[in-house]
Amino acid sequence: MAFNSAAVVACSPLSIPSPVLFGAEILSLEANQVNDFSRTVGFGLYANHGAVDVQAANICNVSIAYTHPGQNDKVKVQMFLPTKDWNGRMQAIGGNGWQTGLNLVALAGMEAAIGEGYASLSTDSGLGTSDSPTWGLLSPGNTNRYLLQNLASTSLNDLSILGKDRVNSYYGTPPVFSYWNGCSQGGRQGMMLAQRFPEAFDGIVASAPAINWSELFVGDLWPYILMNTMKTFPRPCEMQAITQAAVTACDGNDGLVDGLITEPDDCAFDPTTLVGTTIQCTEIGRNVTISMGASILTQAIWEGPMGSSNSSLFPGPKKCTTLSSTDATSGGTIALTTCSSNGTCVAAPLPLLTPWVRKFVLKDESVDLSKLTRGDFERLLHASVNEYSSVLDTNDPDLSAFRARGGKIVGYHGLRYFNNVTELGPNIHDFYRMFFSPGLGHCFGGNGAYPADTFDAMRSWVENGTAPDVLNATFVGTTRLVKRTLCPYPLKQTYDGVGNATEDEGFSCK
Ligand SMILES: [Ca+2]
């Protein structure tokens, strides 16, 4: 894509005029030339892409600080503008966990993006880069609503406007195409943009989006509530063994024994059949026996939270999904325990969720969450949705404005919301495609295959009208399989029994 490189102005605050942003007051603008920047950004770090080797890039590094007058906030936006070899496009990088961007992962994504020629950018939404919302409570009983609003939505549209404006100031032309790239928090941000600010980006990648935040951040506390009320605290090895047995039992249901379950909802495995089974527990170096408590707990977590009338409050995780993790920051519905050297274990709430419950729902950091009853849980879930759904959740199925402006959305996982959009109108695949990878963890990792071409598939769709019929995914950290083709939901990856599955032969989307 050609642009007149002679029109590029010097990388200096003097030559880049201060931007105008409605509702904001610009506090500062810095611009520094950085030359010969090189870095290898590894596989999985640049969301929805493969690895990128950045070689001797010259960029203009622009930082903007601004405030929304009256809100006492200070938002930082940073942009990397390739001095030469700009590809004419802008790519905004989303956040993860409690961070909206500009953290180490987002910065790695921005650096990888300049290696591909993009003008890249990200925002901290005024939150800084702590991985916990230290800003959440102004005083006991009083939440920081303005910063929550920044996180939820406001800073995202600001980023698009500032980014396009800075690109125009620096290159003398606005970006030909503007893209959002995110997973998890970044996926939620992408869906917020599509729903509330449809003009902000031409194309959006929103993988593993946290769609129903207000429900999810209480709902995923369910295993913790169950463990405490059942007084059952299984070791990680016990939960891993149960999950592994479930995968083994249901693996072949999809026609191929490959360690992956294509249709977890169809897995009828009963964990209580394992009670009394001896397993080797590597974390303590001896054998343990699978308990009735751990089996019942597993079944209850898979079923999802139940209310006082035994009705479902919130859909559970797919059956046979892993309920144990050594990575406490991974999020999701897992039964996390911490065990002392004398062998006793206690339930550990997920670090991602506890600040939400304490600061935003209860507004009191002194509450002992281990004392919560099932009734408390039900009330908390209702309170969270009631107060915050309209602020944070991205479950509005009406994407008609984004569709009408020619926008395209691609991502993997996040299928329940896709069903809701489908109900509003036909031909959803004309602008929105989501893919499912059996066994793939949250954004990256796990046993499933990772689709590193997700972003480029979206870009081709926007620019050439080439809709992605499949995504090409690669298994990471395992030698048993190499690659697997992913299908756009609701089509399912089906193995016809012919061909070498390890070479991705014999699969079709049906
Ligand atoms: Ca299988």
Side-chain angles (χ1 to χ4, degrees), residues 433-476:
R433 296 191 181 200
M434 294 298 278
F435 295 75
F436 176 58
S437 179
L440 180 65
H442 188 65
C443 294
F444 187 73
N447 294 323
Y450 166 71
D453 63 345
T454 307
F455 185 91
D456 288 343
M458 176 277 295
R459 174 174 146 175
S460 295
W461 200 4
V462 169
E463 299 184 12
N464 312 325
T466 316
D469 291 327
V470 296
L471 292 183
N472 300 299
T474 311
F475 290 90
V476 181

Side-chain angles (χ1 to χ4, degrees), residues 247 250-263 438 484:
V247 170
C250 296
D251 190 348
N253 291 359
D254 54 21
L256 178 66
V257 177
D258 58 353
L260 303 172
I261 299 178
T262 308
E263 298 183 47
R484 185 67 61 81

Side-chain angles (χ1 to χ4, degrees), residues 92-384:
I93 306 287
N96 49 282
W98 278 100
Q99 299 165 321
T100 63
L102 282 186
N103 56 342
L104 288 178
V105 177
L107 285 167
M110 287 172 65
E111 289 164 359
I114 57 170
E116 295 186 323
Y118 292 93
S120 63
L121 67 163
S122 188
T123 177
D124 79 347
S125 303
L127 314 178
T129 51
S130 168
D131 60 4
S132 180
T134 51
W135 47 268
L137 210 51
L138 295 169
S139 61
N142 299 299
T143 52
N144 193 334
R145 305 287 296 208
Y146 286 134
L147 284 190
L148 188 66
Q149 176 179 285
N150 275 357
L151 177 158
S153 55
T154 315
S155 67
L156 303 172
N157 197 41
D158 291 347
L159 184 67
S160 164
I161 293 168
L162 286 173
K164 291 173 185 173
D165 179 84
R166 294 299 81 195
V167 163
N168 192 31
S169 298
Y170 185 63
Y171 297 108
T173 177
V176 182
F177 296 103
S178 298
Y179 298 120
W180 178 266
N181 180 30
C183 192
S184 190
Q185 171 68 263
R188 186 204 67 84
Q189 292 169 312
M191 295 317 298
M192 177 62 81
L193 285 156
Q195 292 164 18
R196 201 171 296 185
F197 310 110
E199 294 301 323
F201 293 95
D202 302 299
I204 289 171
V205 175
S207 295
I211 296 277
N212 298 293
W213 176 314
S214 66
E215 189 177 55
L216 190 71
F217 270 51
V218 177
D220 276 357
L221 211 60
W222 181 237
Y224 176 74
I225 302 287
L226 276 179
M227 284 190 285
N228 284 325
T229 54
M230 293 170 65
K231 304 211 180 311
T232 298
F233 311 105
R235 288 188 171 278
C237 64
E238 210 176 342
M239 300 304 281
Q240 278 160 10
I242 294 173
T243 307
Q244 188 52 51
V247 170
T248 303
C250 296
D251 190 348
N253 291 359
D254 54 21
L256 178 66
V257 177
D258 58 353
L260 303 172
I261 299 178
T262 308
E263 298 183 47
D265 290 334
D266 294 342
C267 182
F269 177 74
D270 177 2
T272 59
T273 58
L274 294 175
V275 174
T277 306
T278 300
I279 58 162
Q280 192 183 10
C281 187
T282 52
E283 70 212 30
I284 52 173
R286 60 180 168 83
N287 290 346
V288 298
T289 303
I290 292 182
S291 64
M292 179 61 84
S295 303
I296 295 173
L297 176 69
T298 301
Q299 190 76 338
I301 295 171
W302 282 341
E303 284 171 0
M306 294 290 173
S308 48
S309 58
N310 242 16
S311 57
S312 174
L313 297 171
F314 181 77
K318 290 182 178 299
K319 280 184 186 170
C320 308
T321 48
T322 183
L323 301 180
S324 172
S325 174
T326 51
D327 177 9
T329 61
S330 66
T333 309
I334 60 173
L336 194 67
T337 54
T338 52
C339 303
S340 64
S341 53
N342 68 7
T344 58
C345 300
V346 294
L350 290 176
L352 197 64
L353 309 181
T354 48
W356 175 254
V357 175
R358 286 205 176 101
K359 292 172 192 269
F360 293 98
V361 186
L362 293 166
K363 305 178 178 70
D364 181 355
E365 300 207 72
S366 67
V367 173
D368 181 355
L369 299 182
S370 72
K371 299 285 194 294
L372 294 178
T373 65
R374 290 177 61 157
D376 293 333
F377 172 81
E378 192 172 353
R379 284 186 287 276
L380 279 175
L381 189 63
H382 180 265
S384 180

